[in-house]
Amino acid sequence: MSIPVNVIHNFQTFKLKVTPSTLLSEIVNDSCSHFKLDHENSSYILKSQSKTFKDLSLPVKFANLPQGCKLELTKDDTQKKPLRAQSSAFNTSRSK
């Protein structure tokens, strides 16, 4: 049983058929190679109208995708933001 999936990136559509056991990471890899994107050095995620799939190790059957769904291939910008740590020194010693 194959499920048709449409992947959209920069107003271009890539149509592929996947099985229920296909991982979302395989969809991302196939889509990146179709759109000629460098998926080795940058991370991409899939978005639908109601969900964002950041865990790409999930099979299609557990992602609850409807048949013929449209997924948007976007860069994952959340991993690129540097963390800012701010420390403040408080004097905790009690002097009388």
Side-chain angles (χ1 to χ4, degrees):
M1 180 172 115
S2 63
I3 302 168
V5 174
N6 297 321
V7 180
I8 301 169
H9 179 72
N10 288 342
F11 303 108
Q12 296 177 354
T13 304
F14 173 53
K15 297 178 182 180
L16 70 153
K17 291 187 178 182
V18 297
T19 61
S21 62
T22 303
L23 299 177
L24 294 178
S25 61
E26 294 176 26
I27 295 174
V28 170
N29 290 338
D30 292 344
S31 301
C32 286
S33 63
H34 174 78
F35 293 121
K36 297 180 176 99
L37 301 172
D38 184 21
H39 59 89
E40 298 296 326
N41 295 330
S42 58
S43 59
Y44 287 90
I45 58 172
L46 294 172
K47 291 183 180 180
S48 68
Q49 290 180 351
S50 60
K51 297 179 186 176
T52 300
F53 300 104
K54 291 186 179 185
D55 181 18
L56 299 177
S57 64
L58 198 64
V60 171
K61 65 181 171 184
F62 294 131
N64 293 330
L65 296 175
Q67 192 168 10
C69 68
K70 294 181 181 179
L71 297 173
E72 183 180 353
L73 182 69
T74 58
K75 279 193 174 183
D76 187 12
D77 294 332
T78 58
Q79 294 179 354
K80 304 261 179 176
K81 293 181 181 177
L83 294 176
R84 292 185 181 179
Q86 184 178 14
S87 64
S88 57
F90 289 108
N91 189 0
T92 57
S93 63
R94 295 185 183 185
S95 60
K96 290 187 180 182

